[in-house]
Each structure stands twice: as C-alpha cells, then as structure tokens.
Amino acid sequence: SAFVAPAPARATTVVKAFETEVGAQPPLGCWDPLGLLENADQDRFDRLREVELKHGRVCMLAMAGHLTTTAGYRLPGNIDFDGDKFADIPTGLAALSAVPPFGLVQMFFFAGWLELFVMKDVTGQSEFVGDFRNGF
C-alpha cells in the first residue's frame, strides 16, 4: 500500500569472490564484516591476508613475552647506562612507564625495520601468502 515503508535491503558481509580461499567455511563463506574486500582483486586479498598473518604472529610473540616476564624471567644486566636493571621493569602495560623513553624509541624503530626489511618475501620464492622464510 502507499503508506507502508519498503523493506530495507539486507546488507551482506559474505564475499563470493574468495569462496575457495583457506578460512572460508560454510555457511558464512569468506566473511568480510568491514567490507574491505568489496571490489577487491586477488592481489588486494593476498595483501590483506599477509598483513593479517603478520599481525597475528606479532601478537603471539607479544603474548609469549608477557607470559615470560610474568613468570619472572628477565634479561640479566641493565636496561640503560644509569644502572636500571631489567629485573626492575614491571610486567604488562606498567612497563611502558618504566622503560626509558629512548628505549621505547628503539623498540619502535626496530619494529619498523623488521616490517620494512625482514618480514616480507624478499626472494620472490614464497610458497604461500605469509611465507617469509626467504630461502631458509
């Protein structure tokens, strides 16, 4: 009738173009809730998959580091030339305020160096997306 609003179009988050990729499972298929793969080609998909794998690996390393320091294991020696010991650095987010500022800068640039020069396929011989072995 004239006074009834039309039914809203149902939004979909399933991308049909990448149904055969690893991780696409029925009934959801390739689930893309943010729409990052809309009108994407295979190169865009591979880039997003590579970034996802890289960030997942960094998160796993961060969790392993947190569990290690929470268990009481610390590097021997001093963290700076002022004599502050690694053992004096607390665990978790409290460590950010205890680490000297230049140490935080060093960590930032080291992570950037890894991102730009190490954690990528530099040989062009990768067997799959996220293969950073580079011939090893």
Side-chain angles (χ1 to χ4, degrees), residues 55-132:
H55 290 161
R57 291 169 181 167
V58 168
C59 290
M60 288 186 275
L61 286 172
M63 188 65 196
H66 176 68
L67 292 173
T68 301
T69 58
T70 301
Y73 296 102
R74 300 289 199 282
L75 293 172
N78 298 332
I79 193 170
D80 59 11
F81 293 121
D82 294 334
D84 297 324
K85 297 184 181 337
F86 282 105
D88 297 336
I89 304 295
T91 62
L93 293 176
L96 290 175
S97 62
V99 172
F102 189 66
L104 295 175
V105 171
Q106 286 177 331
M107 287 188 274
F108 176 78
F109 280 108
F110 180 66
W113 179 77
L114 288 174
E115 176 79 19
L116 293 174
F117 300 108
V118 176
M119 294 182 69
K120 65 180 186 174
D121 180 25
V122 295
T123 62
Q125 300 173 351
S126 64
E127 297 177 20
F128 50 88
V129 176
D131 180 9
F132 302 132

Side-chain angles (χ1 to χ4, degrees), residues 16-48:
K16 299 290 185 198
F18 304 107
E19 289 299 308
T20 59
E21 295 291 338
V22 174
Q25 297 178 357
L28 293 178
C30 183
W31 192 59
D32 183 24
L34 299 179
L36 297 175
L37 294 174
E38 193 163 325
N39 300 323
D41 58 357
Q42 188 66 42
D43 289 337
R44 171 82 173 146
F45 179 83
D46 289 344
R47 171 70 180 137
L48 290 174

Side-chain angles (χ1 to χ4, degrees), residues 1 49 113:
S1 105
R49 176 65 55 98
W113 179 77

Side-chain angles (χ1 to χ4, degrees), residues 131-136:
D131 180 9
F132 302 132
R133 293 178 292 175
N134 295 316
F136 293 106

